[in-house]
Amino acid sequence: MMNGIIRTLAAVVLGLGVIATPAHAAGTAQKNAEDYDFSFEGPFGQFDRAQLQRGWEVFRQVCASCHSLKYLRFRNLAEPGGPEFTEEQAKAFASQYDIVDGPNEEGEMFTRPGRLADAFPSPYPNEEAAKAANNGAVPPDLSLIVKAREGWYYPWYISPFIKLVKGNGGAEYVRSLISGYEEPPAHEEAREGLNYNPYFPGHWIAMPQPLSGEDVEYKDGTPNTLKQEATDVAAFLAWVSMPKMEERKKIGLMAMLYLLVFALLMYMVKLAIWSKVEH
């Protein structure tokens, strides 16, 4: 009963007008994403550089075979606030990809090694090729996937209400989805070309299980279990979705301190002006 009251109050505060997600309202048994304490959560949270570097390895060695990151430039990998690879490492990563460029002097397109200014390329030349390779489903671009799943990027003072009403989202949703594939229950009829995942709305997803554990060899010696790989790539995609998060938090903190000092000064001014006035 108390939980229901809290949900109702949270819905009123947020102005959502609903107590549950559409999946819950429809009576389905979509599982809520597992809660996980990522280092970047909260008003003072920061990205774990080693985790972002591991997540990049998982993405480029596994996820990049189907998914793109069209808003990520290779130079971003070396910028402050992210994985913070060296510029030479970022150049080396870029050079491993063939980028379509042109036209040249003959009016023809050509391919060249990637540069720092290039965006991460799509594995498919066009949408139709992507459909043909994936049973008619187009793998989504993952640049904003964490942001699209409504989670940690809300202000820290609103996130708890979001979680109460809509459940865990953002990086936690991505982490649970990647590591949460299961065999369908007995009452669920298998669907051709689809895979059962209780964290996905409707339960049936076109993407096969992308990770199984030991997919990537971590150079820092971190155990490459399924959960660890899913956690690392979820954190990496969170950074891709909000690459300026740490800078934004610093600016926000400075603004709050400024307002606090300003309010104190205004209070002292008020005391000085009215102290000689009889009441």
Side-chain angles (χ1 to χ4, degrees):
M1 180 176 179
M2 181 60 68
N3 189 45
I5 294 174
I6 293 175
R7 287 177 180 271
T8 302
L9 290 174
V12 172
V13 170
L14 292 172
L16 296 176
V18 292
I19 306 305
T21 61
H24 292 156
T28 60
Q30 180 186 345
K31 292 177 70 174
N32 183 28
E34 297 176 0
D35 193 20
Y36 185 82
D37 292 329
F38 283 98
S39 64
F40 50 80
E41 294 179 329
F44 305 107
Q46 294 184 326
F47 289 113
D48 182 332
R49 308 295 175 227
Q51 184 175 62
L52 293 186
Q53 292 186 10
R54 293 194 302 268
W56 160 249
E57 290 298 330
V58 175
F59 177 83
R60 78 184 186 96
Q61 294 187 41
V62 181
C63 308
S65 61
C66 295
H67 297 278
S68 59
L69 289 176
K70 63 183 180 181
Y71 296 125
L72 176 72
R73 303 272 172 184
F74 287 105
R75 65 169 178 264
N76 300 142
L77 296 171
E79 293 176 348
E84 295 186 359
F85 289 107
T86 65
E87 186 173 315
E88 291 304 316
Q89 287 176 308
K91 286 181 179 179
F93 291 139
S95 66
Q96 296 173 9
Y97 296 89
D98 292 328
I99 305 298
V100 177
D101 203 348
N104 57 19
E105 295 179 353
E106 287 75 34
E108 298 178 349
M109 304 299 289
F110 61 93
T111 58
R112 57 166 175 78
R115 304 168 184 161
L116 288 177
D118 291 321
F120 192 88
S122 170
Y124 306 105
N126 51 62
E127 188 173 298
E128 294 305 317
K131 289 181 180 179
N134 295 278
N135 296 321
V138 179
D141 179 86
L142 298 183
S143 300
L144 301 175
I145 191 66
V146 169
K147 198 172 183 179
R149 288 300 177 177
E150 300 183 356
W152 60 272
Y153 60 90
Y154 279 102
W156 63 271
Y157 48 85
I158 292 180
S159 293
F161 294 105
I162 293 291
K163 288 187 176 184
L164 279 172
V165 177
K166 307 192 75 173
N168 296 318
E172 291 166 328
Y173 171 82
V174 173
R175 175 180 181 269
S176 296
L177 180 74
I178 293 175
S179 60
Y181 284 78
E182 298 177 359
E183 290 295 324
H187 66 274
E188 288 274 3
E189 184 178 349
R191 303 183 186 183
E192 185 178 356
L194 298 178
N195 305 274
Y196 185 81
N197 192 311
Y199 297 101
F200 186 74
H203 301 161
W204 293 96
I205 184 172
M207 179 177 69
Q209 182 171 344
L211 300 173
S212 56
E214 300 183 355
D215 303 274
V216 176
E217 184 176 350
Y218 287 144
K219 297 179 181 178
D220 62 2
T222 300
N224 53 353
T225 62
L226 171 59
K227 282 291 186 182
Q228 185 65 54
E229 292 178 349
T231 302
D232 293 340
V233 75
F236 173 74
L237 292 175
W239 166 73
V240 174
S241 291
M242 293 291 284
K244 300 298 183 181
M245 184 203 70
E246 292 185 4
E247 181 180 348
R248 173 171 53 82
K249 286 183 177 180
K250 290 178 181 178
I251 294 174
L253 178 59
M254 293 173 62
M256 292 299 292
L257 291 174
Y258 168 80
L259 292 174
L260 181 62
V261 172
F262 183 76
L264 180 60
L265 290 175
M266 291 298 99
Y267 179 71
M268 295 172 65
V269 170
K270 179 258 186 186
L271 292 179
I273 292 175
W274 292 96
S275 62
K276 299 179 182 180
V277 178
E278 295 183 2
H279 296 283

